[in-house]
PDB file of all heavy atoms in Angstrom:
ATOM      1  N   ALA B 344      82.018 100.417  96.490  1.00 96.00           N
ATOM      2  CA  ALA B 344      83.061 100.086  97.462  1.00 96.00           C
ATOM      3  C   ALA B 344      83.577  98.662  97.243  1.00 96.00           C
ATOM      4  O   ALA B 344      84.781  98.408  97.344  1.00 96.00           O
ATOM      5  CB  ALA B 344      82.525 100.250  98.877  1.00 96.00           C
ATOM      6  N   ILE B 345      82.664  97.767  96.907  1.00 93.00           N
ATOM      7  CA  ILE B 345      83.074  96.387  96.629  1.00 93.00           C
ATOM      8  C   ILE B 345      84.113  96.359  95.519  1.00 93.00           C
ATOM      9  O   ILE B 345      85.098  95.625  95.579  1.00 93.00           O
ATOM     10  CB  ILE B 345      81.825  95.579  96.186  1.00 93.00           C
ATOM     11  CG1 ILE B 345      80.917  95.351  97.387  1.00 93.00           C
ATOM     12  CG2 ILE B 345      82.207  94.265  95.546  1.00 93.00           C
ATOM     13  CD1 ILE B 345      79.554  94.830  96.997  1.00 93.00           C
ATOM     14  N   SER B 346      83.882  97.207  94.511  1.00 93.00           N
ATOM     15  CA  SER B 346      84.789  97.201  93.366  1.00 93.00           C
ATOM     16  C   SER B 346      86.143  97.823  93.704  1.00 93.00           C
ATOM     17  O   SER B 346      87.069  97.772  92.907  1.00 93.00           O
ATOM     18  CB  SER B 346      84.150  97.911  92.173  1.00 93.00           C
ATOM     19  OG  SER B 346      84.209  99.310  92.330  1.00 93.00           O
ATOM     20  N   MET B 347      86.232  98.464  94.866  1.00 96.00           N
ATOM     21  CA  MET B 347      87.545  98.980  95.293  1.00 96.00           C
ATOM     22  C   MET B 347      88.330  97.903  96.025  1.00 96.00           C
ATOM     23  O   MET B 347      89.554  97.907  96.038  1.00 96.00           O
ATOM     24  CB  MET B 347      87.370 100.163  96.237  1.00 96.00           C
ATOM     25  CG  MET B 347      86.657 101.326  95.604  1.00 96.00           C
ATOM     26  SD  MET B 347      86.147 102.490  96.881  1.00 96.00           S
ATOM     27  CE  MET B 347      84.968 103.429  95.942  1.00 96.00           C
ATOM     28  N   ILE B 348      87.616  97.008  96.683  1.00 95.00           N
ATOM     29  CA  ILE B 348      88.291  95.982  97.481  1.00 95.00           C
ATOM     30  C   ILE B 348      88.762  94.833  96.582  1.00 95.00           C
ATOM     31  O   ILE B 348      89.819  94.248  96.788  1.00 95.00           O
ATOM     32  CB  ILE B 348      87.326  95.403  98.545  1.00 95.00           C
ATOM     33  CG1 ILE B 348      86.644  96.512  99.334  1.00 95.00           C
ATOM     34  CG2 ILE B 348      88.045  94.439  99.467  1.00 95.00           C
ATOM     35  CD1 ILE B 348      87.540  97.353 100.156  1.00 95.00           C
ATOM     36  N   GLU B 349      87.947  94.522  95.578  1.00 92.00           N
ATOM     37  CA  GLU B 349      88.193  93.321  94.784  1.00 92.00           C
ATOM     38  C   GLU B 349      89.560  93.289  94.062  1.00 92.00           C
ATOM     39  O   GLU B 349      90.214  92.242  94.075  1.00 92.00           O
ATOM     40  CB  GLU B 349      87.036  93.132  93.791  1.00 92.00           C
ATOM     41  CG  GLU B 349      87.089  91.844  92.993  1.00 92.00           C
ATOM     42  CD  GLU B 349      87.001  90.564  93.830  1.00 92.00           C
ATOM     43  OE1 GLU B 349      86.566  90.640  94.993  1.00 92.00           O
ATOM     44  OE2 GLU B 349      87.394  89.501  93.317  1.00 92.00           O
ATOM     45  N   PRO B 350      90.033  94.393  93.454  1.00 94.00           N
ATOM     46  CA  PRO B 350      91.298  94.279  92.724  1.00 94.00           C
ATOM     47  C   PRO B 350      92.456  93.804  93.599  1.00 94.00           C
ATOM     48  O   PRO B 350      93.187  92.888  93.224  1.00 94.00           O
ATOM     49  CB  PRO B 350      91.549  95.712  92.225  1.00 94.00           C
ATOM     50  CG  PRO B 350      90.201  96.307  92.106  1.00 94.00           C
ATOM     51  CD  PRO B 350      89.411  95.716  93.246  1.00 94.00           C
ATOM     52  N   PHE B 351      92.606  94.404  94.771  1.00 96.00           N
ATOM     53  CA  PHE B 351      93.712  94.033  95.641  1.00 96.00           C
ATOM     54  C   PHE B 351      93.534  92.612  96.164  1.00 96.00           C
ATOM     55  O   PHE B 351      94.495  91.831  96.242  1.00 96.00           O
ATOM     56  CB  PHE B 351      93.824  95.034  96.793  1.00 96.00           C
ATOM     57  CG  PHE B 351      95.181  95.091  97.415  1.00 96.00           C
ATOM     58  CD1 PHE B 351      96.323  94.885  96.657  1.00 96.00           C
ATOM     59  CD2 PHE B 351      95.329  95.377  98.771  1.00 96.00           C
ATOM     60  CE1 PHE B 351      97.587  94.945  97.235  1.00 96.00           C
ATOM     61  CE2 PHE B 351      96.578  95.445  99.360  1.00 96.00           C
ATOM     62  CZ  PHE B 351      97.719  95.227  98.590  1.00 96.00           C
ATOM     63  N   ALA B 352      92.292  92.267  96.494  1.00 94.00           N
ATOM     64  CA  ALA B 352      92.020  90.911  96.970  1.00 94.00           C
ATOM     65  C   ALA B 352      92.370  89.903  95.876  1.00 94.00           C
ATOM     66  O   ALA B 352      93.049  88.897  96.123  1.00 94.00           O
ATOM     67  CB  ALA B 352      90.554  90.781  97.360  1.00 94.00           C
ATOM     68  N   PHE B 353      91.940  90.201  94.666  1.00 92.00           N
ATOM     69  CA  PHE B 353      92.194  89.335  93.512  1.00 92.00           C
ATOM     70  C   PHE B 353      93.705  89.161  93.316  1.00 92.00           C
ATOM     71  O   PHE B 353      94.202  88.063  93.058  1.00 92.00           O
ATOM     72  CB  PHE B 353      91.546  89.990  92.287  1.00 92.00           C
ATOM     73  CG  PHE B 353      91.459  89.136  91.058  1.00 92.00           C
ATOM     74  CD1 PHE B 353      91.258  87.765  91.129  1.00 92.00           C
ATOM     75  CD2 PHE B 353      91.541  89.719  89.795  1.00 92.00           C
ATOM     76  CE1 PHE B 353      91.170  86.989  89.973  1.00 92.00           C
ATOM     77  CE2 PHE B 353      91.449  88.959  88.645  1.00 92.00           C
ATOM     78  CZ  PHE B 353      91.266  87.594  88.735  1.00 92.00           C
ATOM     79  N   TYR B 354      94.431  90.259  93.501  1.00 95.00           N
ATOM     80  CA  TYR B 354      95.891  90.211  93.367  1.00 95.00           C
ATOM     81  C   TYR B 354      96.513  89.319  94.437  1.00 95.00           C
ATOM     82  O   TYR B 354      97.336  88.450  94.151  1.00 95.00           O
ATOM     83  CB  TYR B 354      96.472  91.634  93.452  1.00 95.00           C
ATOM     84  CG  TYR B 354      97.955  91.671  93.723  1.00 95.00           C
ATOM     85  CD1 TYR B 354      98.867  91.347  92.721  1.00 95.00           C
ATOM     86  CD2 TYR B 354      98.442  92.004  94.992  1.00 95.00           C
ATOM     87  CE1 TYR B 354     100.231  91.346  92.974  1.00 95.00           C
ATOM     88  CE2 TYR B 354      99.798  92.019  95.246  1.00 95.00           C
ATOM     89  CZ  TYR B 354     100.693  91.685  94.241  1.00 95.00           C
ATOM     90  OH  TYR B 354     102.041  91.678  94.495  1.00 95.00           O
ATOM     91  N   LEU B 355      96.123  89.516  95.687  1.00 96.00           N
ATOM     92  CA  LEU B 355      96.709  88.725  96.771  1.00 96.00           C
ATOM     93  C   LEU B 355      96.397  87.243  96.586  1.00 96.00           C
ATOM     94  O   LEU B 355      97.254  86.379  96.785  1.00 96.00           O
ATOM     95  CB  LEU B 355      96.179  89.200  98.132  1.00 96.00           C
ATOM     96  CG  LEU B 355      96.654  90.579  98.601  1.00 96.00           C
ATOM     97  CD1 LEU B 355      95.999  90.945  99.938  1.00 96.00           C
ATOM     98  CD2 LEU B 355      98.173  90.621  98.751  1.00 96.00           C
ATOM     99  N   ILE B 356      95.159  86.965  96.178  1.00 93.00           N
ATOM    100  CA  ILE B 356      94.764  85.567  95.982  1.00 93.00           C
ATOM    101  C   ILE B 356      95.566  84.946  94.831  1.00 93.00           C
ATOM    102  O   ILE B 356      96.105  83.849  94.953  1.00 93.00           O
ATOM    103  CB  ILE B 356      93.242  85.474  95.691  1.00 93.00           C
ATOM    104  CG1 ILE B 356      92.453  85.943  96.916  1.00 93.00           C
ATOM    105  CG2 ILE B 356      92.842  84.059  95.304  1.00 93.00           C
ATOM    106  CD1 ILE B 356      90.979  86.202  96.667  1.00 93.00           C
TER     107      ILE B 356
END
Side-chain angles (χ1 to χ4, degrees):
I345 288 168
S346 77
M347 298 166 196
I348 310 296
E349 186 62 18
F351 203 33
F353 192 34
Y354 163 74
L355 290 178
I356 295 167

